[in-house]
Amino acid sequence: MVLQAEEGLITRYRRILVATAVPAERDAVAQAFGGSAEDVRLPGALLRRTAGRCDLLAAGVGPALAAASTATALTAAALAGTPYGLVVSTGIGGGFPPEAPLGSLVVADAITVADLGADTADGFLPVTELGFGTITHRPPEPLVRVVSEATGARTGTVLTVSTVTGTAARAAELRARHPRALAEGMEGFGVAEAAAAHGVPALEIRAVSNPVGPRDRAAWRVGDALAALTEAFGKLTPALESWTSV
């Protein structure tokens, strides 16, 4: 692959850890692999090892639990002498219309936490402007291209929030602060933080189940988004496994 030549990292990468929030998302991804799978019990988490190179983890809802579960899986693999070469945060999420319509896919070229910081009289200050921390992780550009080309996913910022957006005012505020935002989820930044601590690259891929804005459960298309997730990983797996081959 061209990607291998560009990166020159082919010998570094091995298995892939795919982290979702909930079992329904994990199972949607698992359908893309077929075959048998083995469950491995970790402290506070259950890992599903597929016949290919991907291990699936329902890491939990929200950035804190997702980070803790992902760190557990990464640490266990490193201690066993089989470290992961890539972490993929995935699942369904909200899309900012009109750029990310229902049922579409988004791959993050920036994984950004939207609400880590401080409220002030002059507006929100991200934690970086308070003098510490980070708010963005950037996946490898060549890999983002591979994902986009393989799946047709739109490329842009995916926001991580601890509270799902439920009003037009909140959606407008997020877009004003993050003009390139295409989607929001609740786990991506936490997963990326854990990956960064282990020196492992991270991706985030979201299938859009609902528009970011006024909360209207009747308008959600969760089933369609889960189906899009299965289809995406069916197309993605060969590219990801080639990129992480040893």
Side-chain angles (χ1 to χ4, degrees):
M1 292 177 64
V2 174
L3 182 60
Q4 295 170 357
E6 288 178 352
E7 288 299 289
L9 301 176
I10 190 79
T11 59
R12 288 182 54 194
Y13 297 143
R14 294 179 174 82
R15 294 189 68 82
I16 301 165
L17 179 64
V18 179
T20 69
V22 298
E25 294 166 319
R26 177 201 61 200
D27 294 345
V29 174
Q31 289 182 44
F33 298 103
S36 59
E38 174 191 4
D39 284 346
V40 179
R41 177 65 64 180
L42 301 175
L46 182 68
L47 192 72
R48 183 156 296 170
R49 176 154 290 172
T50 69
R53 278 207 178 93
C54 290
D55 293 345
L56 312 181
L57 178 70
V61 175
L65 185 53
S69 299
T70 301
T72 294
L74 289 166
T75 300
L79 291 175
T82 56
Y84 290 104
L86 176 67
V87 180
V88 182
S89 175
T90 194
I92 64 176
F96 286 92
E99 294 89 350
L102 299 185
S104 66
L105 289 171
V106 173
V107 56
D109 59 13
I111 302 169
T112 297
V113 62
D115 49 13
L116 181 61
D119 276 329
T120 75
D122 297 320
F124 179 80
L125 285 180
V127 70
T128 48
E129 294 189 25
L130 301 176
F132 52 90
T134 185
I135 60 168
T136 295
H137 292 281
R138 297 190 181 278
E141 291 181 11
L143 187 52
V144 171
R145 284 201 306 272
V146 165
V147 172
S148 179
E149 291 169 3
T151 65
R154 293 158 171 83
T155 301
T157 300
V158 176
L159 302 178
T160 297
V161 294
S162 294
T163 301
V164 173
T165 300
T167 66
R170 172 65 170 166
E173 177 190 349
L174 290 176
R175 284 303 293 269
R177 286 199 277 119
H178 305 280
R180 296 187 67 254
L182 292 183
E184 72 170 22
M186 299 183 74
E187 294 77 34
F189 185 79
V191 171
E193 285 275 83
H198 281 259
V200 180
L203 278 175
E204 184 171 10
I205 302 167
R206 291 283 164 183
V208 176
S209 59
N210 58 279
V212 177
R215 188 172 177 82
D216 179 9
R217 289 296 299 267
W220 290 17
R221 297 293 180 266
V222 172
D224 292 344
L226 291 173
L229 211 57
T230 302
E231 182 180 0
F233 274 85
K235 297 174 180 177
L236 267 181
T237 304
L240 293 180
E241 291 188 350
S242 292
W243 197 66
T244 59
S245 293
V246 294

